[in-house]
Amino acid sequence: MRQEDGFARRAGALLRAAANDLKRDDENAERDLGLEHGTFGPHTDGSRPVDWDLVRRAAQVWPLNERDLLPVHDDCPLGVAVTREKESLASSRVLSRAGAPYYEYRDTAMSRIASYRPEWIRMLRTVDDDDADNPLVQWNRGHLLYQFTYFVGPVNYYYRWNGASHCVPMNTGDSVWALPFGPHSFAARSDAEPAYILALTYGGALLGDAQRELAVLGRQTAHELAVPVAGEARDTAALISSFLAARAMPAAELAARTGLSRRRTEELVAGSAAPDAAELVLLADGLGTSVRDLMPPRTGTADGVSVQHAESARSWEVPGEGAAAYRITGLAGDPLHPHTSALQVDVLLGDVQRAAPLSTYQHQYLFVLGDDPVLLRWEFRGERFDETLRPGDSAYVRPGVPIVFAAAEGGRPRVLLLRIAGAVTPEIRHALGTMAPGGIDRYVAEDRLWYSKEGN
Ligand SMILES: [Fe+2]
């Protein structure tokens, strides 16, 4: 990793924020943590390190976790971090199944800021049918991460859900989005042409705090907290029931608040009927929520996956100066993850000045497909950068960094983009949007005691 700025400062800010939360001023914090007088301030402003002893001591005497005081690393200080194909090649390893080589894996661009674990994977097993029960196919046990997969060449995709196995023959440009823990496999249908996938796994909000919290709360609680997404009235009923329990409110009180009949309210709570739009507004009012809190997500997955074949994928142009800059093709995704976008970008212009900047709130991963190199231009903190990316190169782009693609040496470069949300969910974005003036800056890096020693 590059020389990193700001780690000590971020650690100090977390320590200050934790002490504020626990209503400790410097003297109290020093006493609790066994620090010398006058040293807590320097620990919180980054001029003294927050070392492991201090973290451990804090986790012993304060009701917090070591993790709460550990910042993340910034391994992408220029806005974009490029991984060259030769670096990917250097990570190549062959994994065997049942004693025979099955996949060649290569790492591509990853960052400590985002939950991507994108792998280039070549199929070393060849089959000559599309039988889901072909004994040559070796299955995995499924895994935690969501998986978006982009196919290159003749590759069979195998997936299993509730005991039923499926095989879908895929070709270049086909893609699939899959839910966690479904067993799956891949095999080539030919060894005469390239057959590989970009297996772009990511955890999103499933990783991190939620997983750690549930690991403590336990399996039974996790099962109880699971909300169905069946596309049925009971999905909404589960949300209404949750709020009733949270408010310690019987259905009769909800009926009184909403003006809905007792019988109708009980139907809605039981899930034997779904509320219409007007009833949703009444229920939200009665429960003190927003309407969106009572609306379950929907999913287009069938047996845990959402398949998008290239021939039926929608594509559209993004205008540049005087001509279209890109042809975008929408790849596999699902309404369960509205903040994930998988896109294939065909770069139409050679002139970077005329191309259009693409910017998003999401973390971005890109991989250069095809045969043509692409010029990547981006701007970050007032500086402009240009890099030529060749086929097989990949990159991570921080949220909010505008990027521009142009054909570096003519041709028609093709780039795969997978954009995902990180821990900054809509709830957090709304929280940022409702903070008192100055709050956002202190949330990002708390730099002060929560009150003034000198008084107002
Ligand atoms: Fe996988």
Side-chain angles (χ1 to χ4, degrees):
M1 197 162 60
R2 264 169 210 278
Q3 183 63 38
E4 182 180 350
D5 291 331
F7 186 86
R9 187 179 43 73
R10 288 196 298 282
L14 289 176
L15 182 61
R16 172 62 78 190
N20 278 351
D21 294 344
L22 294 164
K23 300 293 177 271
R24 260 56 172 192
D25 65 5
D26 291 36
E27 292 72 29
N28 284 295
E30 284 158 1
R31 197 175 55 226
D32 289 351
L33 300 174
L35 298 173
E36 275 176 49
H37 179 68
T39 58
F40 187 71
H43 279 299
T44 65
D45 68 18
S47 55
R48 263 176 183 253
V50 176
D51 60 17
W52 184 240
D53 281 343
L54 179 50
V55 169
R56 201 164 41 194
R57 172 81 183 148
Q60 278 166 357
V61 300
W62 287 346
L64 50 70
N65 297 296
E66 290 85 349
R67 169 184 174 77
D68 301 331
L69 297 175
L70 298 173
V72 300
H73 292 291
D74 181 0
D75 55 6
C76 186
L78 301 180
V80 172
V82 173
T83 298
R84 298 293 177 184
E85 187 189 25
K86 72 172 195 304
E87 296 169 66
S88 288
L89 266 167
S91 71
S92 166
R93 66 264 179 210
V94 168
L95 270 75
S96 291
R97 300 284 165 89
Y102 200 77
Y103 295 127
E104 178 195 356
Y105 287 84
R106 299 178 192 170
D107 293 343
T108 69
M110 298 185 203
S111 166
R112 291 168 178 81
I113 308 173
S115 68
Y116 292 109
R117 293 290 179 256
E119 295 284 336
W120 178 103
I121 305 177
R122 185 160 64 97
M123 282 67 243
L124 303 178
R125 180 65 45 90
T126 305
V127 296
D128 56 11
D129 59 25
D130 47 23
D131 175 8
D133 299 314
N134 186 326
L136 290 173
V137 175
Q138 296 290 330
W139 294 73
N140 66 13
R141 296 167 165 161
H143 47 66
L144 161 61
L145 301 182
Y146 294 96
Q147 183 163 336
F148 169 84
T149 307
Y150 183 89
F151 295 83
V152 178
V155 176
N156 277 355
Y157 172 52
Y158 302 88
Y159 64 100
R160 186 177 290 152
W161 194 258
N162 276 332
S165 301
H166 309 268
C167 172
V168 187
M170 300 289 204
N171 293 291
T172 300
D174 294 344
S175 55
V176 63
W177 185 86
L179 291 168
F181 294 116
H184 51 280
S185 186
F186 303 88
R189 288 192 305 280
S190 161
D191 51 15
E193 50 187 310
Y196 63 92
I197 59 171
L198 288 149
L200 311 184
T201 56
Y202 64 96
L206 272 186
L207 293 179
D209 289 339
Q211 191 184 22
R212 281 159 179 75
E213 188 172 314
L214 286 172
V216 171
L217 297 180
R219 289 179 190 192
Q220 189 182 335
T221 305
H223 281 280
E224 288 164 7
L225 291 178
V227 179
V229 182
E232 295 166 9
R234 66 189 173 99
D235 299 0
T236 311
L239 296 171
I240 297 171
S241 298
S242 270
F243 280 116
L244 285 178
R247 310 285 192 251
M249 189 190 292
E253 170 65 9
L254 184 59
R257 288 178 173 213
T258 56
L260 296 169
S261 72
R262 278 286 289 277
R263 196 169 140 229
R264 180 62 179 165
T265 305
E266 274 158 18
E267 275 177 3
L268 299 177
V269 172
S272 53
D276 64 24
E279 287 172 325
L280 271 175
V281 173
L282 292 173
L283 290 166
D285 232 20
L287 292 166
T289 69
S290 302
V291 168
R292 72 189 286 268
D293 299 315
L294 303 179
M295 302 189 70
R298 66 189 176 91
T299 177
T301 55
D303 284 341
V305 309
S306 206
V307 174
Q308 178 64 66
H309 288 289
E311 68 259 20
S312 59
R314 283 195 68 84
S315 71
W316 58 93
E317 289 184 342
V318 173
E321 289 290 320
Y326 314 112
R327 171 157 286 278
I328 308 280
T329 304
L331 304 175
D334 192 73
L336 269 182
H337 266 211
H339 303 290
T340 296
S341 319
L343 307 171
Q344 177 184 281
V345 182
D346 289 302
V347 179
L348 307 179
L349 293 177
D351 180 357
V352 70
Q353 307 287 353
R354 293 168 60 212
L358 300 170
S359 185
T360 177
Y361 63 93
Q362 298 149 299
H363 297 268
Q364 296 195 80
Y365 165 86
L366 65 92
F367 182 91
V368 183
L369 300 161
D371 301 317
D372 297 317
V374 66
L375 175 71
L376 172 67
R377 167 171 290 184
W378 74 94
E379 289 184 18
F380 187 61
R381 295 181 177 158
E383 262 193 274
R384 172 183 288 175
F385 303 86
D386 285 321
E387 285 278 356
T388 298
L389 304 187
R390 303 201 163 267
D393 290 350
S394 55
Y396 163 73
V397 184
R398 291 164 75 119
V401 174
I403 55 175
V404 176
F405 296 114
E409 297 166 10
R412 182 64 67 83
R414 174 170 284 185
V415 178
L416 175 63
L417 274 186
L418 181 70
R419 301 166 150 192
I420 60 169
V424 188
T425 59
E427 278 74 15
I428 302 297
R429 295 179 69 193
H430 287 130
L432 294 173
T434 51
M435 283 180 179
I440 292 177
D441 295 334
R442 291 180 58 193
Y443 175 67
V444 168
E446 181 59 283
D447 60 354
R448 67 198 80 166
L449 193 62
W450 81 98
Y451 66 97
S452 163
K453 289 268 179 194
E454 291 74 42
N456 308 320

